[in-house]
């Protein structure tokens, strides 16, 4: 250490201050810089906490709100100083993470104050601070998007997690469940795996032909959306599927799933709302299941939008009401655009979930097998909804409906824009429903459909969620559409492969994979074997012992996937 000679300090025995004899300032410290503060006789406010912290109109809107108490531009007493001092004075950002405090606090010692290079030496640090601030802003922005801030956000509870319909976990996490792992979505984006072409093991069901007159619909000659109450739609989970059980018993593969479950995993990084998938390790096999009444049966609406939906459960535009409405529109649309003259394309086996004589929706189930590695094969039940024949060539179609509920939310009025600016309408849908469209595309790719038909279905009136019209139907090739929406097949399979590998390391038992309701990550919990009753691995309970959801037809748990009934009940109660 360099010593600092202070020089002799005379001692005054008579009282305060230096003795009369030594009034002259000793010359040892005459060369130390000294800053006289005579530029203004009158000192203004150091900081005025009474001033409003919100940005005043006309003030620089980029200004950090924490600075505004230190902003003297409105103080006349500081008029002369303000211009000079503002450039050199910088409030250290109190919101900075703690380790920045030590790093960036300017040292107010004499050398610093008169250092000619002072401005230059401070610049990198200022830039760091700006970068930090910008990073924090981006983080905040991202968090805002992740959580889709609700409208009635108040300053006081901004930090607390808001309990709302959308942000609750899709499954109640029980205290006795054991959390094994949590995987942030950021790790998913780096994954990649190229999977060889799959083979078809079996095709079941029967398909009706697509009515090509629907391709010519425009908003000016729209068509009412009809209701198909008698047709049964099946949303059967993996382990309840008799064909998958048969294939598992024949050791045709080690991993079993459905296209809905796989597409949820493949598009997980785009999801905002919570979802869950049950994973069961039985012997050397792995089953991916969904719970009865799971979120996966409904279609999210405006999930990835920045405009929050109303937070009121009974509102017809709340997330839950919209997803029920969307599921209902989707099912009816998929049946309406078919030629219903009895001509069908029948497959090797009839619909495995239908009972004799009941009317079922047009659907072909393709049980396809992918090779994940030498020991691991994955079988998934994939669906196509229709077939079209052009020049003796058959093409398989998936049919899905996008729905407009209120142009006020999306900012794009379909009736005006679909004719002239279809690209703008699709772009808005891709922004607000990124996850849903990606999942549909993934399902079309899994089923190897030749075309995806997207219907644009709108409410007759924004406040009427019961009557709808079809405004347009557009077809896309799944591969081209995937490229357009930036959906990378090797990344999709990379995610599936990594989750399969992870689950294959688990002990035999039951697990649940849950998307965190507020953070972009999934968690894996170990759950007791009887966690979600009505899920069984081996033999089902006899009919009379099964827990029967109250539905109009007692078809067992399988048929109540028909969201129609749910929808009718919901709508009639709301209309009442």
């Amino acid at each position: 250490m360099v010593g600092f000679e202070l020089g002799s300090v005379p001692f005054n025995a008579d009282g305060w201050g230096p003795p009369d004899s030594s009034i002259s300032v000793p010359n040892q410290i005459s060369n130390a810089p000294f800053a006289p503060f005579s530029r203004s006789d009158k000192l203004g406010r150091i900081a005025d906490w009474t001033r409003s912290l919100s940005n005043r109109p006309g003030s620089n809107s980029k200004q950090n709100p924490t600075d505004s108490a230190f902003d003297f531009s409105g103080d006349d007493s500081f008029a002369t100083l303000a211009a000079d001092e503002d450039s050199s004075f910088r409030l250290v950002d109190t919101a900075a993470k703690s380790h920045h405090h030590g790093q960036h606090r300017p040292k107010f010692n004499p050398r610093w104050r008169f250092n000619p290079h002072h401005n230059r030496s401070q610049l990198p640090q200022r830039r760091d601070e700006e970068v930090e601030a910008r990073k924090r802003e981006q983080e905040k922005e991202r968090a805002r998007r992740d959580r889709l801030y609700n409208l009635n956000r108040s300053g006081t509870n901004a930090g607390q997690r808001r309990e709302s319909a959308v942000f609750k976990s899709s499954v109640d996490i029980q205290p006795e469940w054991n959390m094994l792992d949590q995987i942030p979505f950021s790790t998913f984006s780096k994954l990649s795996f190229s999977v060889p072409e799959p083979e078809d093991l079996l095709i079941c069901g029967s398909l009706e032909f697509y009515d090509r007159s629907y391709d010519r619909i425009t908003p000016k000659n729209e068509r009412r959306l009809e209701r198909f109450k008698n047709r049964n739609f099946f949303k059967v989970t993996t382990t309840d599927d008799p064909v998958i059980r048969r294939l598992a018993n024949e050791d045709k593969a080690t991993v079993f799933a459905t296209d809905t479950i796989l597409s949820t995993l493949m598009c997980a990084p785009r999801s905002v709302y919570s979802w869950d998938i049950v994973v069961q390790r039985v012997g050397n096999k792995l089953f991916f299941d969904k719970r009865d009444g799971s979120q996966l049966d409904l279609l999210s609406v405006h999930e990835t939008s920045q405009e929050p939906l109303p937070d009121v459960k009974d509102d017809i535009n709340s997330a839950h009401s919209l997803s029920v409405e969307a599921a209902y529109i989707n099912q009816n649309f998929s049946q309406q655009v078919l030629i219903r003259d009895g001509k069908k394309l029948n497959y090797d086996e009839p619909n495995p979930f239908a009972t004799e004589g009941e009317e079922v929706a047009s659907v072909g189930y393709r049980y396809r097998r992918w090779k994940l590695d030498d020991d691991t094969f994955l079988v998934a039940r994939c669906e196509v909804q229709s077939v079209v024949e052009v020049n003796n060539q058959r093409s398989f179609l998936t049919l899905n409906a996008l729905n407009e509920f209120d142009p006020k939310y999306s900012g794009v009025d379909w009736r005006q824009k679909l004719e002239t600016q279809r690209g703008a309408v699709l772009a808005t849908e891709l922004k607000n429903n990124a996850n849903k469209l990606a999942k549909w595309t993934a399902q079309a790719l899994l089923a190897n459909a030749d075309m995806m038909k997207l219907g644009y279905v709108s409410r007759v009136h924004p406040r009427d969620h019961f009557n709808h019209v079809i405004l347009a139907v557009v077809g896309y090739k799944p591969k081209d559409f995937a490229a357009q929406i930036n959906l990378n097949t090797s990344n999709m399979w990379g995610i599936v492969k990594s989750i399969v590998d992870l689950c294959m390391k688990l002990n035999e038992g039951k697990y649940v994979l849950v998307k965190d309701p507020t953070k972009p990550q999934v968690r894996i919990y170990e759950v007791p074997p009887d966690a979600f009753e009505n899920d069984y691995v081996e033999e089902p309970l006899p009919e009379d012992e099964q827990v029967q959801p109250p539905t109009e037809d007692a078809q067992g748990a399988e048929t109540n996937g028909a969201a129609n009934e749910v929808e009718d009940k919901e709508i009639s109660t709301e209309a009442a």
Side-chain angles (χ1 to χ4, degrees), residues 208-210 212 386-390 393-397:
E208 290 178 317
F209 288 81
Y210 175 71
R212 290 167 64 200
S386 178
V387 62
V388 70
E389 203 165 282
V390 184
Q393 271 208 308
R394 284 188 180 145
S395 305
F396 297 100
L397 312 178

Side-chain angles (χ1 to χ4, degrees), residues 59-73:
S59 71
N60 183 352
S61 59
K62 286 202 182 83
Q63 183 188 4
N64 187 332
T66 46
D67 291 357
S68 52
F70 289 88
D71 165 23
F72 307 114
S73 48

Side-chain angles (χ1 to χ4, degrees), residues 32-321:
F34 170 65
F37 283 101
S38 57
R39 274 201 283 170
S40 167
D41 300 332
K42 171 178 158 207
L43 280 179
R45 297 178 280 251
I46 289 179
D48 182 355
W49 307 110
T50 60
R51 259 152 81 201
S52 134
L53 288 183
S54 65
N55 292 332
R56 295 189 313 284
S59 71
N60 183 352
S61 59
K62 286 202 182 83
Q63 183 188 4
N64 187 332
T66 46
D67 291 357
S68 52
F70 289 88
D71 165 23
F72 307 114
S73 48
D75 187 347
D76 302 335
S77 63
F78 256 67
T80 46
L81 280 174
D84 271 8
E85 292 289 292
D86 265 9
S87 52
S88 60
F89 174 74
R90 169 84 190 152
L91 167 74
V92 178
D93 190 346
T94 48
K97 299 168 186 68
S98 52
H99 62 259
H100 293 311
H101 278 305
Q103 226 174 330
H104 295 323
R105 180 172 289 133
K107 300 176 185 63
F108 284 106
N109 59 15
R111 226 181 79 242
W112 179 85
R113 190 168 269 141
F114 281 91
N115 177 356
H117 305 292
H118 138 67
N119 278 340
R120 219 168 305 151
S121 64
Q122 287 305 102
L123 272 176
Q125 169 244 328
R126 278 283 301 110
R127 198 166 298 131
D128 283 355
E129 259 182 22
E130 271 171 10
V131 169
E132 282 302 321
R134 206 169 299 134
K135 265 194 201 143
R136 272 196 307 279
E137 280 306 309
Q138 282 163 352
E139 279 300 313
K140 272 187 206 143
E141 178 62 21
R142 208 165 293 132
R144 193 185 76 83
R145 274 208 302 277
D146 280 352
R147 297 206 194 92
L148 293 172
Y149 270 115
N150 58 346
L151 292 165
N152 55 2
R153 175 174 179 262
S154 67
T156 49
N157 65 0
Q160 299 157 7
R161 201 173 120 228
R162 295 172 328 287
E163 289 303 319
S164 80
V166 177
F167 305 113
K168 285 198 177 78
S169 175
S170 59
V171 60
D172 286 335
I173 310 290
Q174 301 301 321
E176 67 271 16
W177 293 3
N178 178 18
M179 190 175 89
L180 303 179
D181 205 352
Q182 52 187 35
I183 313 158
F185 286 162
S186 50
T187 58
F188 282 166
S189 57
K190 304 177 189 74
L191 300 170
S192 181
F193 178 71
S194 56
V195 69
E197 274 299 300
E199 52 181 321
D200 275 336
L201 298 183
L202 183 71
I203 307 185
C204 306
S206 61
L207 291 174
E208 290 178 317
F209 288 81
Y210 175 71
D211 180 350
R212 290 167 64 200
S213 70
Y214 277 87
D215 290 343
R216 296 191 291 276
I217 287 184
T218 61
K220 287 195 176 62
N221 62 349
E222 55 188 35
R223 288 204 207 170
R224 282 302 281 258
L225 184 70
E226 298 167 29
R227 298 197 184 108
F228 295 85
K229 290 189 172 173
N230 306 331
R231 290 204 164 189
N232 280 314
F233 298 83
F234 303 100
K235 305 269 187 213
V236 183
T237 183
T238 317
T239 44
D240 293 355
D241 182 330
V243 179
I244 282 189
R245 288 197 175 163
R246 192 169 81 215
L247 296 172
N249 288 336
E250 293 167 8
D251 259 342
K252 286 278 198 283
T254 37
V255 187
F256 298 87
T258 64
D259 55 353
T260 315
I261 291 169
L262 281 185
S263 66
T264 302
L265 289 175
M266 290 172 157
C267 307
R270 297 178 189 229
S271 62
V272 176
Y273 297 168
S274 177
W275 46 264
D276 59 280
I277 291 169
V278 180
V279 181
Q280 311 195 60
R281 279 279 276 123
V282 185
N284 65 337
K285 295 189 172 57
L286 197 58
F287 293 90
F288 288 98
D289 270 305
K290 63 181 178 53
R291 292 176 302 104
D292 276 346
S294 155
Q295 295 283 329
L296 303 188
D297 289 339
L298 297 174
L299 295 172
S300 69
V301 178
H302 258 229
E303 176 178 2
T304 52
S305 154
Q306 294 193 29
E307 281 304 308
L309 294 169
D311 213 4
V312 189
K313 188 88 171 81
D314 302 330
D315 193 306
I316 61 167
N317 293 339
S318 73
H320 178 72
S321 307

Side-chain angles (χ1 to χ4, degrees), residues 372-486:
L372 295 182
D373 59 41
D374 293 342
D375 314 317
T376 317
F377 286 85
L378 178 145
V379 163
R381 179 186 80 224
C382 306
E383 287 184 25
V384 286
Q385 278 90 35
S386 178
V387 62
V388 70
E389 203 165 282
V390 184
N391 309 336
N392 288 336
Q393 271 208 308
R394 284 188 180 145
S395 305
F396 297 100
L397 312 178
T398 59
L399 304 171
N400 292 106
L402 290 163
N403 58 310
E404 176 183 50
F405 55 102
D406 192 339
K408 191 174 78 210
Y409 283 93
S410 61
V412 176
D413 188 333
W414 286 8
R415 283 171 174 79
Q416 290 168 14
K417 295 282 189 349
L418 268 174
E419 300 253 20
T420 53
Q421 292 171 275
R422 184 174 288 161
V425 174
L426 183 63
T428 307
E429 286 304 295
L430 284 172
K431 189 179 85 206
N432 294 337
N433 294 296
N435 189 31
K436 177 166 70 176
L437 278 154
K439 277 158 74 171
W440 286 344
T441 312
Q443 285 169 15
L445 290 166
L446 287 169
N448 196 23
D450 301 285
M451 283 290 264
M452 303 166 59
K453 290 281 184 189
L454 286 184
Y456 289 89
V457 178
S458 179
R459 290 180 183 169
V460 173
H461 182 275
R463 297 303 303 163
D464 172 7
H465 65 316
F466 200 37
N467 296 299
H468 300 87
V469 285
I470 304 172
L471 300 176
V473 181
V474 192
Y476 298 95
K477 287 196 168 67
K479 281 198 175 73
D480 301 349
F481 197 69
Q484 187 181 341
I485 66 172
N486 210 355

Side-chain angles (χ1 to χ4, degrees), residues 521-538:
Q521 62 179 23
V522 284
R523 299 199 172 122
I524 299 179
Y525 294 92
E526 186 176 13
V527 299
D530 58 349
F532 313 103
E533 75 278 35
N534 239 19
D535 278 3
Y536 34 72
V537 182
E538 280 316 307

